[in-house]
Amino acid sequence: MCYSVSYLTHKNEIYARRLGIPTDKETSFFAQLDQIRNYIGVAWYRSGFEFPGLPVLTFFPELKVIPGFWGLIPHWAKSKDKQKDLIKHTLNARIETLLEKPSFKKATEKNRCIVMLDGFFEYKHIEKKAHPYYITYLDKRPMLIGGIYEIAPDNIPFSITLSIVTKPGNALMTEIHNKSQAGEPRMPLILEGDYLQKWTSSPAQEAIQECKNLEINNLTAIPVGSLTGKNGIGNKPQAHINIHLNPTSQ
């Protein structure tokens, strides 16, 4: 799951409030956000398998907004062929096995981050047909998603590579993500309040134990038109428009 995401613009002040950015630091923070968005472009819809850049918050030694390459490359993957093969499998990282998987262990222990998104896309399968939904907050505020990263090798045009961390789905995702390759509904690790600091600052095992049980229920699933293919919407504002589709009536 979570192989397609969205991030937009003009939400600087909301991010600043949610992250507790001091007033005297806001100008620098806003400039970083604008610079990153100009660099990676606006995304209404992005597939992970395009390996796009995503806006990322890192906190050591200080808070910075940087572009991250979606598809984590572990430090031990030296050859380009190995790296190319790995990134197809490291778009997401299951929170339950972060410290078990060789690709994720070091990043989880040393390099946890926050991915800045407006929402993500998921498919509901009904009678062999997949219906896309855009998942976002009810009040449309931006999401802050737990991630892990590694310093990027020289051949990658970003300073870091990253994975989005996932956890078992809530009630909404159980309804929507009803044909998961993982065998169960999944969702991104959406963080709020004190859990932002817990994820980025606590020891790895403690961060996992505390954050994996955070319940996020103030979400909505918006049915949208076909995103890909010959007649797909692609990276356009229409990717967020409710088409008033009722799949159960099809």
Side-chain angles (χ1 to χ4, degrees):
M1 58 74 47
C2 192
Y3 294 122
S4 303
V5 297
S6 169
Y7 58 87
L8 301 178
T9 56
H10 309 306
K11 297 191 176 182
N12 293 7
E13 292 183 359
I14 298 175
Y15 275 126
R17 288 198 301 271
R18 294 192 65 197
L19 293 166
I21 304 296
T23 303
D24 62 343
K25 302 288 186 180
E26 285 185 349
T27 300
S28 173
F29 177 68
F30 294 164
Q32 290 182 60
L33 282 175
D34 292 340
Q35 182 179 20
I36 296 305
R37 288 167 178 147
N38 289 335
Y39 179 62
I40 61 180
V42 172
W44 296 91
Y45 164 79
R46 278 284 187 263
S47 167
F49 295 103
E50 300 170 358
F51 308 108
L54 299 178
V56 179
L57 288 166
T58 60
F59 293 81
F60 304 103
E62 60 184 1
L63 186 148
K64 290 184 178 180
V65 188
I66 60 176
F69 177 90
W70 192 9
L72 186 141
I73 298 175
H75 62 283
W76 45 261
K78 302 300 184 182
S79 73
K80 292 183 180 180
D81 287 342
K82 184 65 174 177
Q83 294 168 3
K84 186 176 180 180
D85 179 63
L86 276 170
I87 59 177
K88 295 180 292 185
H89 306 288
T90 59
L91 296 172
N92 293 336
R94 294 169 64 94
I95 194 169
E96 300 94 328
T97 56
L98 284 175
L99 293 174
E100 300 173 14
K101 301 293 185 180
S103 294
F104 303 137
K105 187 174 187 297
K106 179 185 175 184
T108 302
E109 291 173 339
K110 304 292 185 181
N111 301 325
R112 278 164 276 138
C113 61
I114 301 296
V115 185
M116 308 170 74
L117 303 177
D118 285 293
F120 60 97
F121 296 87
E122 197 53 82
Y123 287 84
K124 182 174 184 177
H125 289 77
I126 299 175
E127 296 182 353
K128 298 183 179 181
K129 186 175 182 181
H131 301 272
Y133 283 77
Y134 175 55
I135 315 298
T136 188
Y137 275 112
L138 283 166
D139 61 5
K140 304 301 187 293
R141 71 182 186 272
M143 291 181 173
L144 298 168
I145 308 292
I148 56 175
Y149 70 93
E150 289 265 21
I151 303 302
D154 293 340
N155 57 298
I156 298 296
F158 294 92
S159 58
I160 65 170
T161 67
L162 70 101
S163 292
I164 289 176
V165 176
T166 69
K167 58 173 287 184
N170 60 11
L172 175 65
M173 294 311 300
T174 298
E175 177 185 352
I176 300 297
H177 197 207
N178 62 344
K179 193 176 179 181
S180 169
Q181 293 181 353
E184 64 175 356
R186 305 289 297 178
M187 66 185 294
L189 178 64
I190 304 171
L191 300 170
E192 296 180 344
D194 293 342
Y195 288 90
L196 293 165
Q197 185 173 5
K198 290 177 181 178
W199 177 250
T200 55
S201 302
S202 297
Q205 189 62 57
E206 181 180 332
I208 290 170
Q209 290 299 322
E210 292 187 347
C211 294
K212 71 178 183 180
N213 295 321
L214 173 62
E215 289 292 332
I216 303 294
N217 293 311
N218 49 342
L219 304 176
T220 186
I222 301 170
V224 297
S226 179
L227 297 167
T228 61
K230 182 179 179 180
N231 299 314
I233 295 168
N235 186 29
K236 297 178 182 178
Q238 288 85 347
H240 292 192
I241 293 177
N242 190 326
I243 61 170
H244 305 291
L245 174 68
N246 181 6
T248 59
S249 68
Q250 301 302 302

